[in-house]
Amino acid sequence: MDGITGLRDRYLAAIAAAADEQALEDTRVAALGKKGEVSLLMRGLGKMTPEERQTAGPALNALKDDLNQAIAMARAALADAALNARLATEWTDVTLPARATPQGTIHPVSQVMDEISAIFADLGFSVAEGPQIENDWHNFDALNIPGHHPARAEMDTFYMSRREGSNQPPHVLRTHTSPVQIRHMQEHGAPCRIIAPGRVYRADYDQTHTPMFHQIEGLAIDRDITMANLKWVLEEFFSAFFGTGVKTRFRASHFPFTEPSAEVDIQCEWVDGQVRVGEGSDWLEVLGSGMVHPKVLTAAGVDPAEWQGFAFGMGIDRMAMLKYGIPDLRAFFDSDLRWLRHYGFAALDVPTIQGGINR
Ligand code: DAH
């Protein structure tokens, strides 16, 4: 019995001293493994007399249970210590602010295009598109701008290089969105109501001109459309776009593709060098328009004896500058992040008639 007490003390001390899982396991094997000291003693029970066995058996079993329990507790303590050590190095500061996800903004030109499209969609216009590299005929001839017409020179056209051996005039970077009128009527005929927003190009560069800019074309063809319809549509549009009643002024003008033609001004006022649309007694020119010229209808395959309608062309960038008070057009296309963050719009805040057009 003394031997058993000695064994218990020795192994409990070894278990308590085990510095890691491996040391603990070695101790367990030494005591309770197949050839462990305690196991060997238990195997010796068979050779004892029944009387000896009666005291030694329970004592050995108790020893075995005590050691097993001590080992389990020591193992749990080691695991706790290991976890605590890990937690001490791998902690997370939940009070840190979340990492910001870089988020782009909607460019004012895209925003304004969406705003304009939403308003015209509400007025029954759908969106049409055409190529930015346009042929001479669609960009000029079909719009009643013949080869000798001064408008060709005035437009500062970018010409593509002519294909080798071709006797066709070179393609151009479209100088306006008006050729989309022709393409749309050629494909869909009359009646129609479309707007055509997009990029256009002219060799020009100063505070209010960039070689690439944006226009939006409008076209409404039916049997009895008049200038009165044009005036109403534009006034509805400007009032919705600027979020306030806006008066228009029609001035007689000349475009080869419309007859009669009018330039349209909107009511405004200048306060401290800033323009305010929809107030005051000044006027600001914003677009060209008129009744589509019979020659243009004919070129596009629409019979002018049966159909008539209005067209207009407006600068989108100009609209964005006016509405959102952006002074320099050139900055629109500099891709300066500070500018984009300042003038950009929230990506998911899409303008709609229901949700609102004005930000
Ligand atoms: N295409 C003209 C330009 O770029 C603008 C324009 C004027 C378009 C009158 C039209 C229009 O449709 O009827 O300056």
Side-chain angles (χ1 to χ4, degrees), residues 164-295:
E164 192 118 18
S166 164
N167 58 359
Q168 294 294 309
H171 278 60
V172 300
L173 293 181
R174 69 177 178 194
T175 56
H176 50 182
T177 43
S178 301
V180 185
Q181 290 185 33
I182 305 295
R183 289 185 175 276
H184 187 81
M185 286 190 282
Q186 281 182 315
E187 200 172 327
H188 302 282
C192 70
R193 278 189 219 181
I194 53 139
I195 53 166
R199 291 183 175 168
V200 299
Y201 302 84
R202 290 181 204 177
D204 210 350
Y205 189 67
D206 60 34
Q207 195 180 339
T208 53
H209 297 90
T210 49
M212 185 280 299
F213 60 105
H214 300 82
Q215 284 189 337
I216 193 154
E217 196 76 14
L219 176 71
I221 303 291
D222 212 319
R223 291 178 199 279
D224 49 12
I225 285 186
T226 69
M227 289 287 270
N229 300 123
L230 170 65
K231 188 168 161 75
W232 183 85
V233 163
L234 289 179
E235 284 188 350
E236 282 296 302
F237 163 70
F238 285 123
S239 298
F241 182 75
F242 288 107
T244 172
V246 177
K247 290 206 185 81
T248 59
R249 182 172 75 173
F250 280 59
R251 277 182 295 104
S253 182
H254 175 77
F255 299 103
F257 28 89
T258 43
E259 182 58 39
S261 303
E263 278 174 308
V264 179
D265 304 338
I266 52 176
Q267 178 194 17
C268 73
E269 185 169 47
W270 291 90
V271 183
D272 303 329
Q274 294 259 5
V275 66
R276 289 196 193 153
V277 174
E279 305 172 18
S281 51
D282 271 345
W283 298 97
L284 195 70
E285 184 196 323
V286 286
L287 61 79
S289 65
M291 296 300 290
V292 179
H293 198 292
K295 284 191 181 172

Side-chain angles (χ1 to χ4, degrees), residues 32-330:
L32 304 167
K34 258 191 196 144
K35 291 177 185 157
E37 248 180 305
V38 179
S39 308
L40 291 179
L41 285 177
M42 292 190 88
R43 233 172 278 162
L45 285 173
K47 293 182 191 123
M48 291 181 188
T49 64
E51 292 74 33
E52 285 172 328
R53 202 181 301 139
Q54 215 158 35
T55 46
L60 277 175
N61 269 327
L63 170 63
K64 187 179 152 195
D65 287 349
D66 287 354
L67 293 185
N68 269 328
Q69 198 187 345
I71 287 168
M73 279 170 65
R75 189 167 283 145
L78 282 174
D80 276 357
L83 183 60
N84 283 337
R86 245 183 82 191
L87 288 177
T89 54
E90 294 180 10
W91 66 289
T92 303
D93 184 352
V94 295
T95 66
L96 280 178
R99 209 162 288 156
T101 334
Q103 201 167 36
T105 57
I106 300 297
H107 194 284
V109 171
S110 305
Q111 177 77 15
V112 162
M113 266 195 208
D114 288 348
E115 293 174 3
I116 296 175
S117 303
I119 297 167
F120 277 105
D122 193 49
L123 294 171
F125 288 72
S126 52
V127 171
E129 288 185 306
Q132 294 177 44
I133 297 176
E134 188 54 283
N135 59 48
D136 198 63
W137 187 82
H138 278 96
N139 196 77
F140 295 121
D141 298 84
L143 289 161
N144 195 30
I145 314 174
H148 55 81
H149 199 283
R152 287 209 186 199
E154 276 162 28
M155 280 186 164
D156 300 306
T157 312
F158 285 114
Y159 287 91
M160 310 296 288
S161 49
R162 195 196 294 256
R163 211 180 309 140
E164 192 118 18
S166 164
N167 58 359
Q168 294 294 309
H171 278 60
V172 300
L173 293 181
R174 69 177 178 194
T175 56
H176 50 182
T177 43
S178 301
V180 185
Q181 290 185 33
I182 305 295
R183 289 185 175 276
H184 187 81
M185 286 190 282
Q186 281 182 315
E187 200 172 327
H188 302 282
C192 70
R193 278 189 219 181
I194 53 139
I195 53 166
R199 291 183 175 168
V200 299
Y201 302 84
R202 290 181 204 177
D204 210 350
Y205 189 67
D206 60 34
Q207 195 180 339
T208 53
H209 297 90
T210 49
M212 185 280 299
F213 60 105
H214 300 82
Q215 284 189 337
I216 193 154
E217 196 76 14
L219 176 71
I221 303 291
D222 212 319
R223 291 178 199 279
D224 49 12
I225 285 186
T226 69
M227 289 287 270
N229 300 123
L230 170 65
K231 188 168 161 75
W232 183 85
V233 163
L234 289 179
E235 284 188 350
E236 282 296 302
F237 163 70
F238 285 123
S239 298
F241 182 75
F242 288 107
T244 172
V246 177
K247 290 206 185 81
T248 59
R249 182 172 75 173
F250 280 59
R251 277 182 295 104
S253 182
H254 175 77
F255 299 103
F257 28 89
T258 43
E259 182 58 39
S261 303
E263 278 174 308
V264 179
D265 304 338
I266 52 176
Q267 178 194 17
C268 73
E269 185 169 47
W270 291 90
V271 183
D272 303 329
Q274 294 259 5
V275 66
R276 289 196 193 153
V277 174
E279 305 172 18
S281 51
D282 271 345
W283 298 97
L284 195 70
E285 184 196 323
V286 286
L287 61 79
S289 65
M291 296 300 290
V292 179
H293 198 292
K295 284 191 181 172
V296 172
L297 295 174
T298 304
V302 168
D303 182 1
E306 198 178 339
W307 304 100
Q308 64 182 32
F310 66 73
F312 61 85
M314 175 168 65
I316 293 178
D317 319 84
R318 187 99 197 278
M319 286 289 129
M321 293 170 81
L322 277 177
K323 181 166 177 178
Y324 293 110
I326 310 174
D328 190 331
L329 177 63
R330 289 168 298 193

